[in-house]
Amino acid sequence: METGEARRAAERIARESFGRLVAFLAARTRDLAAAEDALSEAFAAALRQWPESGVPESPAAWLLTVARRRGADAARRRAVETCGAGRVALMAEELEAAASSPEAIPDRRLALMFAGAHPAIDRGMRAPLILQAVLGLTAMELAAAFLVPPKAMGQRLVRVKNRIRDTGIPFRVPDREELPERLDAVLEAIYAAYARGWHELDGGAPRLAEEAIWLGQVVVGLLPDAPEAKGMLALMLYAEARRPARRSDDGAFVPLEEQDVARWDRDALAAAERLLREASAAGPSGRYQIEAAIQSAHVARRLGGAATWPAIVALYDHLLALTGSPVVALNRAVALAETDGPGAALAALDPLAADERLAGYQPYWAARGALLARAGRTTEAREALTLALGLADDPAVRAHLRARLEMLPEAVDESRSPEGGIARRLGSAPQNNGLEHDA
């Protein structure tokens, strides 16, 4: 077997099973860092051995077996150094439990997710920890998702994992009375995973997005009376329903207002509407219910011609008061352009200019550039759209932004007021921190 083929197989297994394997390895030891190290060594061994021996029939089970052995060896070494016999005993139990059926790898991710949301863990690090441990996102990816420096994110993750190990936080789904203080972090992690998965190329399988939706369905099944869980699942389904229309047949990026609604998945939309109704009837509206309601309003406008922009602005007002998020403020400004014009929208954006978190946030510069172009401030629009182009990593989005730049006139004409709504110039994608950018 060629090395490239073995590498592709290992990468596929990493995408599909990383979190499941880490959750299994860490279930008894409660040492996430050690589980991740052992699994990394197993993948390294696979890249050495599979080109010669071939990819095993059950590569996940092969990796688990190797990782367990590496973990047991490491635990024995630590036991000699620290007299930690209890840790060796735990690892021995894990080996014995799995030895009889190496193919059976139980999915313990949900328990790991709730362990990562334990109140002993800093609230701001619960969702990033879950995303890394369960879905395998790197510190660099998490830093981009949560708008913090990569080095700081890496250091925080190390501290959190050490705390889990040292305090013995249990890996289990908590009792019902414990859920309210943990559910928010679990939902935040799932939706942040979906937001990242949204950008997966349509030509391939959207694995991370599908995984997030599946985890959302599991949480709703576990907590059928939790309105925010249903709101989050509805939000993901609204976005996923539009996936087939996000690209043209030749792969070009298609903004929300230009999408062919005939390509939208009506079954997914119907499921999202049902979940949103159930969530709204079950209790007060939270963040995900509000965001799902915004998506419902977009659907009503595109499918039925309803005049929903005022309602969208009002929903963003509510969401901004609830979260204080700069991304929500950005989305609100974009929607405001459709009701009050680009001048009002730009005035709403002005306070965000000092927020360092948005300096490298591509949707901010795309939105600002489109608003400036609509206001006739061509020179400033060109500068903002050029920054957005430099920050975009999707080739189709880059081509879309380049086309917008080419449409700008060379001379500045402050009196010019281009026709057409700002929504036609922007994409429709869930963004960082689980927030939408559809307006």
Side-chain angles (χ1 to χ4, degrees):
M1 173 180 290
E2 295 182 359
T3 301
E5 185 178 350
R7 180 175 295 278
R8 286 191 294 273
E11 290 174 349
R12 177 178 59 82
I13 296 302
R15 288 194 304 269
E16 295 175 354
S17 301
F18 182 88
R20 195 158 55 103
L21 295 172
V22 168
F24 184 82
L25 291 166
R28 287 178 178 269
T29 65
R30 293 188 285 274
D31 191 338
L32 282 174
E36 291 168 350
D37 288 345
L39 189 56
S40 296
E41 291 184 18
F43 274 107
L47 291 176
R48 291 192 302 271
Q49 297 180 32
W50 289 359
E52 297 180 2
S53 63
V55 177
E57 184 176 347
S58 180
W62 188 98
L63 288 163
L64 178 63
T65 299
V66 173
R68 283 199 306 261
R69 290 170 181 164
R70 301 296 170 91
D73 290 343
R76 291 189 188 98
R77 288 194 297 271
R78 289 194 297 272
V80 171
E81 295 171 359
T82 65
C83 298
R87 189 178 300 276
V88 175
L90 283 173
M91 186 62 74
E93 291 174 17
E94 187 72 28
L95 285 164
E96 183 179 353
S100 60
S101 181
E103 301 297 322
I105 306 174
D107 195 331
R108 298 176 177 173
R109 282 175 294 183
L110 195 59
L112 181 56
M113 291 173 74
F114 278 103
H118 193 279
I121 297 172
D122 178 71
R123 184 177 297 275
M125 286 304 299
R126 294 174 194 174
L129 173 66
I130 293 168
L131 282 166
Q132 186 180 70
V134 179
L135 295 172
L137 271 66
T138 66
M140 184 72 72
E141 291 169 331
L142 291 168
F146 291 91
L147 303 180
V148 299
K151 183 177 180 180
M153 177 61 73
Q155 292 171 340
R156 294 172 191 175
L157 285 167
V158 169
R159 288 197 296 268
V160 167
K161 292 171 188 176
N162 288 341
R163 183 168 181 79
I164 289 176
R165 180 195 63 207
D166 296 340
T167 60
I169 291 175
F171 281 41
R172 63 177 177 82
V173 177
D175 295 332
R176 182 164 296 275
E177 59 270 18
E178 300 175 87
L179 288 174
E181 62 182 349
R182 301 197 195 189
L183 183 59
D184 285 351
V186 172
L187 297 182
E188 182 182 5
I190 292 174
Y191 188 62
Y194 179 79
R196 181 165 184 81
W198 169 269
H199 298 286
E200 292 172 317
L201 294 179
D202 296 327
R207 298 184 185 280
L208 189 55
E210 291 175 354
E211 188 82 349
I213 290 173
W214 181 83
L215 288 170
Q217 291 168 335
V218 170
V219 173
V220 168
L222 177 69
L223 303 168
D225 298 326
E228 272 292 80
K230 289 184 176 179
M232 181 206 65
L233 181 55
L235 178 58
M236 293 191 293
L237 290 176
Y238 277 123
E240 196 65 15
R242 298 196 304 269
R243 183 180 289 275
R246 291 178 58 219
R247 296 288 191 271
S248 65
D249 291 337
D250 61 0
F253 172 76
V254 183
L256 171 61
E257 295 300 310
E258 298 173 14
Q259 289 177 7
D260 180 1
V261 297
R263 301 180 71 171
W264 287 3
D265 185 336
R266 299 304 174 91
D267 290 339
L269 288 177
E273 291 284 344
R274 175 182 55 78
L275 285 163
L276 180 57
R277 286 195 301 270
E278 292 176 0
S280 299
S285 293
R287 162 190 165 184
Y288 295 108
Q289 291 164 264
I290 298 170
E291 292 189 50
I294 291 170
Q295 298 312 304
S296 180
H298 282 303
V299 170
R301 188 186 71 260
R302 288 301 324 275
L303 292 182
T308 58
W309 282 116
I312 290 172
V313 173
L315 286 166
Y316 273 127
D317 286 339
H318 190 182
L319 188 60
L320 184 59
L322 187 66
T323 66
S325 165
V327 181
V328 174
L330 170 62
N331 293 339
R332 178 189 175 277
V334 172
L336 190 64
E338 299 301 327
T339 60
D340 294 8
L346 286 166
L349 278 184
D350 285 344
L352 300 180
D355 194 323
E356 294 182 356
R357 292 173 295 176
L358 297 181
Y361 188 55
Q362 187 269 345
Y364 168 76
W365 294 107
R368 184 170 181 82
L371 286 167
L372 288 164
R374 184 176 171 184
R377 295 161 59 178
T378 307
T379 300
E380 294 172 86
R382 188 179 302 281
E383 293 173 354
L385 289 173
T386 299
L387 279 169
L389 177 62
L391 291 167
D393 54 11
D394 184 334
V397 173
R398 289 177 59 84
H400 177 76
L401 290 169
R402 192 175 292 110
R404 301 309 311 173
L405 275 165
E406 292 172 355
M407 291 174 62
L408 292 174
E410 290 299 328
V412 177
D413 182 0
E414 296 297 337
S415 65
R416 181 175 180 270
S417 179
E419 297 179 356
I422 186 67
R424 284 184 284 278
R425 293 171 169 79
L426 297 179
S428 55
Q431 294 297 332
N432 298 333
N433 299 322
L435 296 171
E436 288 287 333
H437 190 69
D438 274 329

mmCIF file of all heavy atoms in Angstrom, residues 1 10 38 61 114-115 133 158 180 189 204 264 273 307 313 380 411:
data_model
loop_
_atom_site.group_PDB
_atom_site.id
_atom_site.type_symbol
_atom_site.label_atom_id
_atom_site.label_comp_id
_atom_site.label_asym_id
_atom_site.label_seq_id
_atom_site.Cartn_x
_atom_site.Cartn_y
_atom_site.Cartn_z
ATOM 1 N N MET A 1 0.856 -1.198 0.000
ATOM 2 C CA MET A 1 0.000 0.000 0.000
ATOM 3 C C MET A 1 0.886 1.241 0.000
ATOM 4 O O MET A 1 1.921 1.297 0.662
ATOM 5 C CB MET A 1 -0.904 0.009 1.234
ATOM 6 C CG MET A 1 -1.703 1.304 1.401
ATOM 7 S SD MET A 1 -2.763 1.267 2.855
ATOM 8 C CE MET A 1 -3.983 0.070 2.341
ATOM 9 N N ALA A 10 -5.863 7.167 7.580
ATOM 10 C CA ALA A 10 -5.699 7.648 8.955
ATOM 11 C C ALA A 10 -6.426 8.970 9.161
ATOM 12 O O ALA A 10 -7.068 9.185 10.200
ATOM 13 C CB ALA A 10 -4.208 7.804 9.279
ATOM 14 N N ALA A 38 -1.799 9.247 23.967
ATOM 15 C CA ALA A 38 -1.768 7.836 23.577
ATOM 16 C C ALA A 38 -2.361 7.651 22.185
ATOM 17 O O ALA A 38 -1.835 6.874 21.365
ATOM 18 C CB ALA A 38 -2.529 6.999 24.602
ATOM 19 N N ALA A 61 -10.621 0.139 15.756
ATOM 20 C CA ALA A 61 -10.302 -0.829 16.809
ATOM 21 C C ALA A 61 -8.790 -1.020 16.916
ATOM 22 O O ALA A 61 -8.243 -1.157 18.016
ATOM 23 C CB ALA A 61 -10.990 -2.159 16.530
ATOM 24 N N PHE A 114 -20.565 16.270 28.949
ATOM 25 C CA PHE A 114 -21.079 16.811 30.204
ATOM 26 C C PHE A 114 -19.990 16.901 31.263
ATOM 27 O O PHE A 114 -20.037 17.776 32.131
ATOM 28 C CB PHE A 114 -22.265 15.968 30.701
ATOM 29 C CG PHE A 114 -23.559 16.330 30.037
ATOM 30 C CD1 PHE A 114 -24.085 15.538 29.035
ATOM 31 C CD2 PHE A 114 -24.245 17.480 30.401
ATOM 32 C CE1 PHE A 114 -25.277 15.877 28.409
ATOM 33 C CE2 PHE A 114 -25.435 17.830 29.788
ATOM 34 C CZ PHE A 114 -25.956 17.027 28.785
ATOM 35 N N ALA A 115 -18.994 16.003 31.192
ATOM 36 C CA ALA A 115 -17.850 16.138 32.103
ATOM 37 C C ALA A 115 -17.106 17.430 31.808
ATOM 38 O O ALA A 115 -16.674 18.148 32.722
ATOM 39 C CB ALA A 115 -16.926 14.937 31.970
ATOM 40 N N ALA A 133 -11.928 17.768 22.906
ATOM 41 C CA ALA A 133 -11.915 16.395 23.401
ATOM 42 C C ALA A 133 -12.861 15.490 22.627
ATOM 43 O O ALA A 133 -12.547 14.324 22.371
ATOM 44 C CB ALA A 133 -12.294 16.375 24.882
ATOM 45 N N VAL A 158 -4.602 23.227 28.448
ATOM 46 C CA VAL A 158 -3.718 22.412 29.291
ATOM 47 C C VAL A 158 -4.132 22.523 30.751
ATOM 48 O O VAL A 158 -4.217 21.515 31.471
ATOM 49 C CB VAL A 158 -2.251 22.840 29.102
ATOM 50 C CG1 VAL A 158 -1.363 22.185 30.156
ATOM 51 C CG2 VAL A 158 -1.759 22.470 27.704
ATOM 52 N N PRO A 180 -29.057 22.074 34.292
ATOM 53 C CA PRO A 180 -29.131 23.480 33.874
ATOM 54 C C PRO A 180 -27.790 24.198 33.843
ATOM 55 O O PRO A 180 -27.522 24.978 32.923
ATOM 56 C CB PRO A 180 -30.074 24.100 34.916
ATOM 57 C CG PRO A 180 -30.949 22.966 35.338
ATOM 58 C CD PRO A 180 -30.050 21.767 35.336
ATOM 59 N N ALA A 189 -20.910 24.154 22.473
ATOM 60 C CA ALA A 189 -19.890 23.367 21.779
ATOM 61 C C ALA A 189 -20.465 22.710 20.530
ATOM 62 O O ALA A 189 -19.835 22.707 19.469
ATOM 63 C CB ALA A 189 -19.320 22.311 22.722
ATOM 64 N N GLY A 204 -17.503 17.335 -0.744
ATOM 65 C CA GLY A 204 -17.203 16.210 0.126
ATOM 66 C C GLY A 204 -18.298 16.022 1.140
ATOM 67 O O GLY A 204 -19.273 16.758 1.187
ATOM 68 N N TRP A 264 -33.589 24.079 -1.727
ATOM 69 C CA TRP A 264 -33.614 23.940 -0.276
ATOM 70 C C TRP A 264 -34.286 22.619 0.111
ATOM 71 O O TRP A 264 -35.223 22.163 -0.559
ATOM 72 C CB TRP A 264 -34.358 25.105 0.366
ATOM 73 C CG TRP A 264 -33.606 26.400 0.335
ATOM 74 C CD1 TRP A 264 -32.397 26.643 -0.241
ATOM 75 C CD2 TRP A 264 -34.041 27.648 0.890
ATOM 76 N NE1 TRP A 264 -32.033 27.955 -0.074
ATOM 77 C CE2 TRP A 264 -33.022 28.597 0.624
ATOM 78 C CE3 TRP A 264 -35.165 28.059 1.597
ATOM 79 C CZ2 TRP A 264 -33.110 29.925 1.025
ATOM 80 C CZ3 TRP A 264 -35.259 29.376 2.007
ATOM 81 C CH2 TRP A 264 -34.237 30.294 1.719
ATOM 82 N N GLU A 273 -38.980 23.998 11.692
ATOM 83 C CA GLU A 273 -40.166 24.758 12.098
ATOM 84 C C GLU A 273 -40.892 24.064 13.249
ATOM 85 O O GLU A 273 -41.337 24.701 14.208
ATOM 86 C CB GLU A 273 -41.111 24.940 10.912
ATOM 87 C CG GLU A 273 -40.577 25.867 9.828
ATOM 88 C CD GLU A 273 -40.659 27.333 10.223
ATOM 89 O OE1 GLU A 273 -41.389 27.657 11.177
ATOM 90 O OE2 GLU A 273 -39.976 28.159 9.579
ATOM 91 N N ALA A 307 -42.613 40.423 4.524
ATOM 92 C CA ALA A 307 -41.749 41.563 4.873
ATOM 93 C C ALA A 307 -41.246 41.373 6.296
ATOM 94 O O ALA A 307 -41.804 41.904 7.254
ATOM 95 C CB ALA A 307 -42.523 42.869 4.735
ATOM 96 N N VAL A 313 -34.720 42.655 12.727
ATOM 97 C CA VAL A 313 -34.012 43.663 13.523
ATOM 98 C C VAL A 313 -34.436 43.571 14.985
ATOM 99 O O VAL A 313 -33.596 43.620 15.903
ATOM 100 C CB VAL A 313 -34.268 45.077 12.972
ATOM 101 C CG1 VAL A 313 -33.677 46.130 13.916
ATOM 102 C CG2 VAL A 313 -33.657 45.228 11.576
ATOM 103 N N GLU A 380 -13.339 53.687 0.760
ATOM 104 C CA GLU A 380 -13.376 52.929 2.013
ATOM 105 C C GLU A 380 -13.904 51.511 1.784
ATOM 106 O O GLU A 380 -13.438 50.547 2.407
ATOM 107 C CB GLU A 380 -14.253 53.651 3.029
ATOM 108 C CG GLU A 380 -13.715 54.987 3.495
ATOM 109 C CD GLU A 380 -14.732 55.716 4.347
ATOM 110 O OE1 GLU A 380 -14.765 55.453 5.569
ATOM 111 O OE2 GLU A 380 -15.519 56.510 3.794
ATOM 112 N N ALA A 411 -13.550 55.815 -9.398
ATOM 113 C CA ALA A 411 -13.600 57.136 -8.771
ATOM 114 C C ALA A 411 -14.553 57.125 -7.595
ATOM 115 O O ALA A 411 -15.546 56.406 -7.582
ATOM 116 C CB ALA A 411 -14.050 58.194 -9.777
#
